[in-house]
Amino acid sequence: MDRIPILRLGRVLLASIQQELTDDIALALQQDLTEMAAAGADGVIIDISGVDVVDSFLARVLSEIAAAARMLAGETVVAGMRPSVAITLVEMGLSLRGLRTARSLSDALSALGLGEARIQGRS
Amino acid sequence: MSPEAVTRLPVTSDVQISGARHAVREAAIAAGFSLVEQTKLVTAASELARNTLVHGGGGHMEITTLGRDQRGIRLTFTDSGPGIPDVAAALSDGYTTGQGLGLGLGGARRLVNEFAIDTGPGRGTTVTVASWPRGARRVTL
Ligand SMILES: Nc1ncnc2c1ncn2[C@@H]1O[C@H](COP(=O)(O)OP(=O)(O)O)[C@@H](O)[C@H]1O
Ligand SMILES: [Mg+2]
């Protein structure tokens, strides 16, 4: 099983899902992000621009990550949801409760108060 | 009737749920589904395959391409698990006997053109769905 890498951008954690997501990989991401959030962070970004299907299992995992992060690390922003995925979620009746969404990674960074300039300045 | 192309896949692990999604995506592309139509069918398949695995204890999925113009897709999910005693309850949003969101069955039904379920206590469960792209000939289950 290939775990999804998590990057630290200053005090923000970034996970970018660029691979086929089996249930085990999604659960490992939940565990890894929660542990890293507990170790100290001010926000979490999950980039799902590479994800072509969000079903109720993945939606639940994303909501649970956000719920844990809210207590440990502030807000979670889900970035880059494809329009076809968003339309499907609406038709299915699945709302991503408690999740902030942003159109792109850079919108997500700004939402967490981290403009691109600031990140470059920090690295 | 033109000959039907049938593919049968086992659903006995989470990796096979992902395999089922891929196979349905390919069939939907071949049948001329738009991106949104593909995504709806693949998402429904993901929900139903997970139910086969998690609630039904594993089983299989069959993909059938059908219709005179070969643009309809029928998916059948079969397990010989405990069956569903109260189908109306199972279809209602938020109902779960496990840890899920309880949106899989009802959500899948909303994402496809046709939906049928054959189940009962001790009989296992077979869910059959069918979809076709807009403008294609309607297909029957
Ligand atoms: N293949 C199946 N075999 C037995 N029970 C099932 C099956 N599919 C669904 N169910 C029952 O229907 C309920 C609702 O299913 P679903 O809407 O997918 O929600 P969830 O999977 O999140 O529980 C399940 O909790 C389970 O009790
Ligand atoms: Mg389910």
Side-chain angles (χ1 to χ4, degrees):
Chain A
M1 183 186 79
D2 293 316
R3 295 176 102 90
I4 294 162
I6 299 170
L7 302 177
R8 260 185 195 285
L9 299 173
R11 301 218 7 114
V12 170
L13 302 176
L14 169 64
S16 185
I17 304 173
Q18 302 293 344
Q19 66 194 76
E20 173 64 29
L21 208 51
T22 63
D23 296 359
D24 281 352
I25 295 175
L27 291 171
L29 175 67
Q30 177 175 9
Q31 188 187 341
D32 292 348
L33 269 176
T34 307
E35 281 171 11
M36 286 180 71
D42 292 336
V44 174
I45 298 174
I46 305 173
D47 175 8
I48 61 164
S49 60
V51 174
D52 61 7
V53 177
V54 174
D55 63 8
S56 66
F57 177 82
L58 181 54
R60 178 168 64 92
V61 168
L62 293 173
S63 297
E64 286 179 1
I65 290 172
R70 195 168 303 123
M71 292 184 285
L72 300 164
E75 278 221 83
T76 297
V77 182
V78 170
M81 183 186 294
R82 296 183 184 184
S84 52
V85 170
I87 291 166
T88 299
L89 288 181
V90 169
E91 291 210 14
M92 206 182 160
L94 223 173
S95 67
L96 294 181
R97 260 163 305 162
L99 278 178
R100 250 177 111 171
T101 54
R103 227 174 304 175
S104 65
L105 193 51
S106 71
D107 284 357
L109 288 165
S110 324
L112 292 176
L114 268 183
E116 281 172 75
R118 282 192 56 200
I119 292 179
Q120 279 159 14
R122 279 175 185 221
S123 59
Chain B
M1 276 297 281
S2 43
E4 296 187 339
V6 184
T7 309
R8 188 181 164 128
L9 296 170
V11 180
T12 55
S13 72
D14 73 318
V15 175
Q16 287 172 341
I17 296 177
S18 155
R21 286 197 293 259
H22 271 284
V24 173
R25 173 81 64 183
E26 273 173 32
I29 290 171
F33 283 49
S34 71
L35 179 59
V36 170
E37 290 165 342
Q38 290 165 34
T39 306
K40 286 165 61 174
L41 186 61
V42 174
T43 305
S46 190
E47 296 293 347
L48 297 172
R50 185 169 293 97
N51 284 353
T52 298
L53 176 67
V54 173
H55 304 298
H60 65 269
M61 174 185 78
E62 252 174 39
I63 306 176
T64 310
T65 301
L66 28 84
R68 199 183 307 208
D69 53 8
Q70 297 280 297
R71 295 185 71 196
I73 295 179
R74 179 175 64 209
L75 305 175
T76 310
F77 300 83
T78 307
D79 65 65
S80 44
I84 304 176
D86 185 345
V87 174
L91 276 166
S92 62
D93 289 348
Y95 177 90
T96 180
T97 57
Q99 255 100 70
L101 293 178
L103 273 170
L105 223 42
R109 182 165 67 165
R110 287 188 284 273
L111 292 175
V112 297
N113 293 124
E114 303 277 347
F115 182 98
I117 182 161
D118 179 18
T119 186
R123 285 207 291 124
T125 299
T126 297
V127 178
T128 305
V129 302
S131 285
W132 50 92
R134 191 199 293 259
R137 250 175 248 270
R138 174 191 174 78
V139 297
T140 45
L141 289 176

